Amino acid sequence: MTTGVRGWGRLLTLLLALAAAGGAVYCATGRLADMGGGSDRPRIVVIIKESKSMEFWQVFESGAEAAAKEFEADIAVIGPGKETDVDAQIAMAEKAAAERPDAIVLAAADYNRLAPAAETIGKLGIPLIMADSAVNSDRPKSFIATDNVAAGEKVGRLMAEQLSATGGKVAVMSFVQGSASQIDRERGVRNALEKAPGVEVVGTFYSDGIERKAYETTLELLKEHPDLKGIVGLNEASSVGPGKALRDAGAAGRVKLVGFDSSVEEVKLLEEGVMQGTIVQRPFNMGYLGVKTAVQAIRGEKVPKTIDTGSVIITKANMYEDENQKLLFPFVGE
Amino acid sequence: MMAPMRRLSFGSIQTNMAAAFASLILLTVLLLGFIAYQLSTAAVRRSAEDYTAELVRQVNANIRTYVDNMRTISSLALNNRDVRSFVAGLDALPEDERRATEERISDFFRSILLSRNDIASIQIAGYDGSFVSDRREAKLNPYVSIPEQSWYKLARAAEGGIVVSSSHIQPIYRNEYRWVVSLSRELRRDDGTGVGILLVDLNFNVMNDMLSQIDLGQRGYVFIVSDDGNLVYHPQQQLVYSGLKTERIDDVLRRGGGSFETDEGSQSRIYTIQDSGFGWKIVGVSYVSELVGNKRQMDLSLLAWGGFCLLVAIALSVLLSRGLSRPIKRLQERMREVERGNLDIYVPPDGQREIGLLARTFNMMVAQIKELMSQVVREQEFKRRSELNALQAQINPHFLYNTLDSIVWMAEAKKSEEVVLMASALARLFRSSISKDRELVPVRTEIEHIANYLTIQKMRYKNKIDYRIDVDSAILDCLTIKVLLQPLVENAIYHGLKNKYGPGCIAISGERVADRIVFRIADDGVGMDEDMLAKLMRPDARKADGRGIGVANVRERIRLHFGPEFGLVYESEPEEGTTVTVTIPAVEPREEERCDKASGEPEGGREAAP
């Protein structure tokens, strides 16, 4: 009788213990699942050249976010307030490296001055993916950008077509001296123009990425070279500034203008016929591929050394085609 | 140390049962778990698909609401009096009246616009080049030709039907590049001639905001494609256009509804298509790997619960098997105790019926063993007693020869009277010891026996021995062991009086003290010193000297018959004499039967002695 009672007591104890263990298992499962959902998402820092207003970088950022969603990564997009603030970007890169993210995507504001930061990141074993602009280092695993030489050649050929009947003097309006993308674009442009008969490149001028400066430089150029036949702008500010100058000086159409990038100003210049064409890059794809490649590098997959995101020539004729609308007017409703 | 090992050793009932239970439980759990997993995976997937379909339906409903709004606005505009007069033709009117009508139309459009933030603009583009919009002073983009716009061309071709465009940039206003969805229809007179196009632009922002907030799992999304294959909305439109992402637009257009799954391995997607009814397909895309949303969590919890069930199974089976095997083990322990010689074991026959039966049988077996053992003990005791009887019988021949010698001498001396006396005493003596079969005899018989014996001895030793018998007549009927006192008297004569110089006397008394009978045999012979006395009182006294054999024999017989609390005690003083006190229980004649039974004396034991 007594053993019977003790047996039931023991059974009850056992059942209680089992219930407790079951609870523990339940909690543990929940926690494991949480871990599965949270902590194994790779953390990626994306350092862009400008974080305030430039459409290019905003589109780049939305591309990066699209990739983050698709490849289940957590990203932080940072960048200096001005494209020319190289020091600020260096500081950001060093700080990002110190936080030891799983990968860093960097659009270098300066080919040489960002090199030490790239070395630091590489030494820490953090995969480094370059986007848009390269850096003078062999640390980066991959470089994702518009093939700027090819883009430069495209825009050079477009200019050569415009001048095929007349030939004449062409000026190149560049932006920041020392920027890798600028160097490549200029080379492409010069390659194409050298092949064009009767076309002479009078020189390369620098806008420092400031539209005002490009405008004024163009006005001076027009005075200096009254027979100027064409201007090639190597980025948005360096294309819009000359465009406005040509419009104001009444030289629209007489001096051909081809440029880079897109903005409402450039669209207007295209519509007005001041600008004959512009090369549009694919910043969305750049941001997307930057993060995608970073995720692949984190997973230990082999990533291509360079990825060309391509570029598209936009002229007045094709600007409202479906595929180009999204490139020219990336922000819906704005 | 040994016990737990043995408990878990292979081949033990408990281990076997535990293993059987555990594997049974485990098998059941695994089977059920597997089925439950399959079923729940299917259920989760089905509900995810239902959810996606519902979501896409919802999106479709929302988008239709927007388009229906535009439709309503266009109907409203068509029925407006001023618009009707515009349609009827303003050419005939004077310039200021025409302007006034246009202004009223413009105000009407603006009043509609004020109430709706999803409508970007409302305008009429007349075939004659006139343009009326919701703003009075519209600044048109001089570089854009309105008749070149697709909404214009399509509406004109539709001849009064409603045309809903894809999402596009509306460039007709100066410095404005808005993303819109356009609804356009031709304004026609009653005779069927068109006069212009009514255009209602929906702010695409509104749709974009709604669509971009839709999540189908972590990675899923919704996109819209128009019937001519243009993407109206896609969250990654640029990737699609540049070929980085492929969307099964052809499949979507071909099917027009329902859902299908792509075959892309781990990246397989499910397309859920809804037709908007105005030329768009709303498509929800979800990743198959995500449908079973947290497959990993399911796997993990299944694993954890599986482990838990395993533990439960083992614990339960150990518990159950212990419960079942405990009575068997208890029985086994009792058996081992019996093995060690403890026969006073009783196993309570509780527990299962079979085990109870086993216990009962075991109890019976142990009882039988015990009975047999005690029988063996009794028989051995009897044997020993027979030996003693034989020993006792052996004493008699010497005495017989000596007595017969004495009779011979007396006969030679012609003492015929004495010969008669002695011979008759001898005859009585033997009759009393031979005739009666029983071990126990009345005290009276024993005393007579002693008297006969002493008569013979007194005659043999002439005047050297005298004796006195003084026994309480109340005890004469009590029973005593046969030939109990004779060896002691013999000792008194041979060891006490024989070596004494001069005559000696033996006094024999018997009385009852409480429930005992006490006999005293006192002689005034040479006595014994303490050493001899001590030797005599030792249990192995038979080795001491001749006297010891008789004493030990008497003591043993008393013990065997009456128990260890009875016996004899010697007291002696050298040169003074010796007194031996014999204590036996007072056994009344009617108790003879019981006493006899207890002693287990078999009949005829006496005859067996030589």
Side-chain angles (χ1 to χ4, degrees):
Chain A
M1 204 56 193
T2 45
T3 49
V5 168
R6 211 169 56 219
W8 282 116
R10 213 180 293 160
L11 190 68
L12 197 70
T13 317
L14 188 83
L15 285 177
L16 283 174
L18 287 180
V25 166
Y26 185 78
C27 291
T29 315
R31 203 170 314 131
L32 277 170
D34 286 350
M35 272 163 58
S39 71
D40 67 349
R41 287 172 73 99
R43 233 159 27 87
I44 300 168
V45 177
V46 179
I47 306 169
I48 55 178
K49 286 193 201 172
E50 200 256 21
S51 65
K52 284 284 190 314
S53 59
M54 282 181 71
E55 210 171 70
F56 183 93
W57 292 112
Q58 287 171 10
V59 177
F60 183 98
E61 187 174 339
S62 55
E65 275 159 5
K69 186 185 175 196
E70 185 171 342
F71 299 103
E72 294 174 81
D74 290 329
I75 63 165
V77 181
I78 53 173
K82 270 197 320 201
E83 201 176 8
T84 48
D85 196 348
V86 179
D87 292 329
Q89 203 197 33
I90 292 170
M92 282 176 172
E94 303 276 4
K95 188 164 171 282
E99 283 166 9
R100 306 281 183 110
D102 294 311
I104 293 177
V105 177
L106 172 65
D110 190 286
Y111 182 68
N112 288 314
R113 289 172 63 196
L114 262 297
E119 287 295 320
T120 310
I121 293 165
K123 268 183 212 151
L124 288 170
I126 302 167
L128 175 63
I129 307 296
M130 300 306 295
D132 179 60
S133 309
V135 72
N136 188 9
S137 163
D138 54 6
R139 291 284 185 187
K141 297 211 177 285
S142 190
F143 177 45
I144 295 146
T146 311
D147 183 340
N148 280 312
V149 177
E153 283 174 351
K154 271 187 203 170
V155 88
R157 276 199 299 277
L158 184 62
M159 176 55 82
E161 274 169 36
Q162 299 291 324
L163 301 180
S164 58
T166 60
K169 290 179 179 172
V170 173
V172 176
M173 184 64 69
S174 184
F175 44 110
V176 186
Q177 205 164 359
S179 153
S181 51
Q182 174 254 283
I183 294 165
D184 287 348
R185 285 174 193 178
E186 190 183 343
R187 196 166 77 225
V189 169
R190 282 176 183 267
N191 284 349
L193 290 181
E194 274 163 18
K195 289 176 198 147
V199 173
E200 179 204 349
V201 177
V202 295
T204 301
F205 304 88
Y206 296 96
S207 68
D208 292 338
I210 300 163
E211 187 189 310
R212 185 87 214 151
K213 194 172 173 190
Y215 178 87
E216 280 158 9
T217 309
T218 306
L219 289 181
E220 280 167 30
L221 256 171
L222 288 173
K223 274 186 215 147
E224 210 173 302
H225 300 281
D227 54 346
L228 193 73
K229 286 290 183 207
I231 298 173
V232 180
L234 294 189
N235 76 346
E236 199 260 344
S238 311
S239 305
V240 173
K244 287 185 175 169
L246 292 179
R247 186 199 284 153
D248 292 353
R254 178 169 61 82
V255 178
K256 308 291 184 192
L257 173 66
V258 290
F260 264 86
D261 300 336
S262 72
S263 67
V264 170
E265 293 299 333
E266 283 189 74
V267 168
K268 281 197 270 185
L269 291 169
L270 281 170
E271 282 182 341
E272 288 170 24
V274 175
M275 204 172 183
Q276 277 66 48
T278 184
I279 285 276
V280 179
Q281 303 180 75
R282 292 195 169 112
F284 189 93
N285 292 15
M286 247 182 244
Y288 175 85
L289 287 172
V291 170
K292 181 185 175 185
T293 310
V295 171
Q296 286 172 331
I298 292 167
R299 289 180 189 157
E301 291 169 25
K302 196 168 164 56
V303 294
K305 199 72 193 162
T306 59
I307 299 175
D308 177 17
T309 50
S311 54
V312 179
I313 287 194
I314 303 287
T315 62
K316 190 177 178 181
N318 71 6
M319 63 188 288
Y320 288 115
E321 283 175 12
D322 276 327
E323 291 170 34
N324 296 336
Q325 280 189 11
K326 198 80 183 177
L327 285 172
L328 278 178
F329 307 98
F331 280 94
V332 171
E334 280 185 1
Chain B
M1 274 283 133
M2 281 299 286
M5 266 173 69
R6 194 174 310 153
R7 191 175 302 158
L8 290 177
S9 69
F10 271 103
S12 88
I13 281 190
Q14 191 186 338
T15 317
N16 285 342
M17 279 199 290
F21 286 142
S23 42
L24 270 177
I25 295 173
L26 200 65
L27 197 73
T28 317
V29 164
L30 281 180
L31 201 70
L32 282 178
F34 180 73
I35 293 169
Y37 180 72
Q38 293 296 324
L39 286 178
S40 60
T41 308
V44 165
R45 184 183 169 139
R46 205 158 42 239
S47 74
E49 281 172 0
D50 289 349
Y51 167 75
T52 306
E54 181 54 40
L55 198 78
V56 173
R57 251 197 304 280
Q58 207 66 49
V59 170
N60 189 12
N62 279 352
I63 285 174
R64 285 185 69 134
T65 310
Y66 289 128
V67 174
D68 286 346
N69 275 339
M70 291 201 287
R71 218 184 286 244
T72 312
I73 288 166
S74 77
S75 304
L76 217 61
L78 284 183
N79 292 324
N80 179 269
R81 194 165 51 90
D82 294 314
V83 173
R84 278 214 299 271
S85 60
F86 177 91
V87 171
L90 298 175
D91 302 345
L93 294 174
E95 177 65 26
D96 55 340
E97 209 163 309
R98 177 188 168 135
R99 177 165 301 238
T101 309
E102 284 183 359
E103 279 180 2
R104 278 203 301 279
I105 293 174
S106 184
D107 289 345
F108 168 62
F109 284 172
R110 193 160 60 246
S111 70
I112 294 174
L113 212 64
L114 281 173
S115 64
R116 312 211 60 95
N117 60 353
D118 55 331
I119 302 298
S121 59
I122 308 169
Q123 48 268 306
I124 296 170
Y127 292 161
D128 59 356
S130 60
F131 188 85
V132 184
S133 84
D134 53 89
R135 22 193 135 173
R136 280 203 183 175
E137 301 296 327
K139 288 199 178 67
L140 293 176
N141 188 336
Y143 306 102
V144 168
S145 151
I146 288 175
E148 293 291 309
Q149 303 300 309
S150 73
W151 54 262
Y152 186 99
K153 289 192 278 190
L154 289 172
R156 191 160 194 178
E159 298 181 334
I162 287 176
V163 175
V164 178
S165 77
S166 173
S167 59
H168 67 105
I169 288 287
Q170 185 58 278
I172 57 172
Y173 292 102
R174 193 177 184 133
N175 290 345
E176 266 186 40
Y177 300 94
R178 284 211 229 192
W179 278 96
V180 295
V181 169
S182 299
L183 181 142
S184 52
R185 67 197 296 184
E186 190 179 38
L187 297 173
R188 316 184 81 176
R189 288 189 182 138
D190 295 339
D191 60 359
T193 49
V195 294
I197 305 291
L198 172 70
L199 171 69
V200 181
D201 277 347
L202 176 88
N203 213 337
F204 186 59
N205 223 3
V206 181
M207 273 189 196
N208 193 70
D209 285 352
M210 188 253 296
L211 291 165
S212 62
Q213 276 165 19
I214 289 166
D215 280 326
L216 283 174
Q218 290 280 328
R219 301 162 60 198
Y221 53 89
V222 169
F223 75 89
I224 301 172
V225 62
S226 64
D227 278 348
D228 54 5
N230 278 326
L231 285 176
V232 176
Y233 167 85
H234 194 293
Q236 299 167 356
Q237 202 159 354
Q238 312 204 20
L239 297 178
V240 178
Y241 282 144
S242 55
L244 280 176
K245 198 177 180 80
T246 52
E247 211 60 87
R248 303 291 180 90
I249 291 169
D250 291 345
D251 288 335
V252 169
L253 293 178
R254 201 172 57 240
R255 286 174 191 261
S259 70
F260 66 92
E261 188 176 333
T262 65
D263 185 20
E264 297 167 283
S266 63
Q267 296 296 308
S268 292
R269 291 173 285 182
I270 290 179
Y271 283 69
T272 309
I273 308 158
Q274 279 277 319
D275 193 289
S276 67
F278 52 82
W280 288 3
K281 301 271 185 285
I282 290 94
V283 186
V285 181
S286 38
Y287 283 80
V288 174
S289 58
E290 272 187 7
L291 270 192
V292 186
N294 18 37
K295 192 169 182 311
R296 229 166 70 111
Q297 186 180 352
M298 274 180 73
D299 289 351
L300 269 175
S301 64
L302 198 76
L303 210 70
W305 280 112
F308 173 65
C309 284
L310 181 67
L311 285 179
V312 172
I314 290 174
L316 269 180
S317 46
V318 166
L319 202 78
L320 277 174
S321 63
R322 188 163 47 181
L324 283 176
S325 64
R326 194 194 293 132
I328 297 180
K329 226 180 293 170
R330 208 162 46 199
L331 200 60
Q332 189 194 357
E333 277 161 22
R334 299 293 159 95
M335 282 178 175
R336 200 165 296 140
E337 206 150 318
V338 170
E339 246 174 66
R340 282 198 288 268
N342 181 4
L343 289 176
D344 293 326
I345 284 289
Y346 176 74
V347 185
D350 54 357
Q352 294 87 352
R353 205 192 313 160
E354 289 84 351
I355 306 289
L357 269 175
L358 210 59
R360 210 165 299 145
T361 314
F362 174 71
N363 287 338
M364 269 160 67
M365 188 191 75
V366 171
Q368 225 153 19
I369 290 176
K370 195 172 161 188
E371 177 59 36
L372 284 172
M373 294 267 283
S374 69
Q375 200 174 319
V376 167
V377 167
R378 267 206 310 277
E379 279 173 7
Q380 288 207 328
E381 204 170 298
F382 167 66
K383 255 188 210 163
R384 260 171 73 203
R385 203 175 313 159
S386 304
E387 267 171 46
L388 286 172
N389 287 341
L391 201 68
Q392 171 200 338
Q394 272 179 350
I395 307 166
N396 294 334
H398 302 281
F399 172 69
L400 177 61
Y401 305 147
N402 293 342
T403 310
L404 286 177
D405 278 346
S406 302
I407 292 174
V408 169
W409 294 332
M410 282 190 282
E412 279 173 358
K414 306 279 194 279
K415 294 178 180 170
S416 60
E417 242 175 86
E418 281 150 359
V419 168
V420 169
L421 187 62
M422 197 165 194
S424 63
L426 185 63
R428 274 200 305 278
L429 188 70
F430 273 94
R431 190 172 296 118
S432 74
S433 65
I434 294 168
S435 66
K436 291 285 168 78
D437 297 333
R438 285 177 182 161
E439 186 79 1
L440 290 182
V441 294
V443 172
R444 187 194 316 278
T445 313
E446 181 65 13
I447 297 301
E448 276 170 13
H449 179 78
I450 290 296
N452 285 330
Y453 177 74
L454 280 170
T455 305
I456 294 168
Q457 294 291 37
K458 190 179 173 185
M459 286 175 75
R460 279 183 60 203
Y461 292 101
K462 299 283 190 279
N463 298 320
K464 198 155 170 59
I465 296 176
D466 195 8
Y467 69 90
R468 202 167 62 243
I469 295 176
D470 176 20
V471 174
D472 186 355
S473 61
I475 65 167
L476 286 178
D477 286 331
C478 286
L479 297 176
T480 181
I481 307 172
K482 187 161 64 177
V483 204
L484 177 72
L485 301 178
Q486 189 210 320
L488 304 175
V489 174
E490 213 174 308
N491 278 346
I493 293 168
Y494 291 116
H495 300 286
L497 301 182
K498 198 176 158 191
N499 299 332
K500 188 189 173 189
Y501 179 77
C505 182
I506 293 175
I508 296 165
S509 69
E511 60 179 335
R512 185 182 182 134
V513 178
D515 57 348
R516 297 177 171 204
I517 291 172
V518 178
F519 294 109
R520 264 194 200 83
I521 299 156
D523 66 73
D524 49 0
V526 293
M528 286 178 284
D529 56 22
E530 296 213 349
D531 274 358
M532 277 182 70
L533 199 61
K535 272 182 200 165
L536 202 61
M537 296 306 288
R538 281 213 307 265
D540 55 345
R542 63 180 69 196
K543 284 173 192 159
D545 57 4
R547 189 197 306 236
I549 296 171
V551 170
N553 210 335
V554 169
R555 184 187 291 140
E556 187 71 354
R557 287 172 68 205
I558 292 171
R559 195 183 66 76
L560 279 175
H561 268 287
F562 301 118
E565 66 267 39
F566 303 102
L568 48 84
V569 176
Y570 268 92
E571 291 162 285
S572 186
E573 280 290 317
E575 306 305 325
E576 290 284 320
T578 305
T579 303
V580 55
T581 310
V582 176
T583 313
I584 60 166
V587 183
E588 300 297 333
R590 64 176 175 282
E591 292 177 72
E592 187 183 8
E593 283 297 303
R594 191 183 59 78
C595 226
D596 223 23
K597 217 175 195 172
S599 70
E601 167 82 1
E603 297 293 312
R606 187 70 179 165
E607 275 75 18

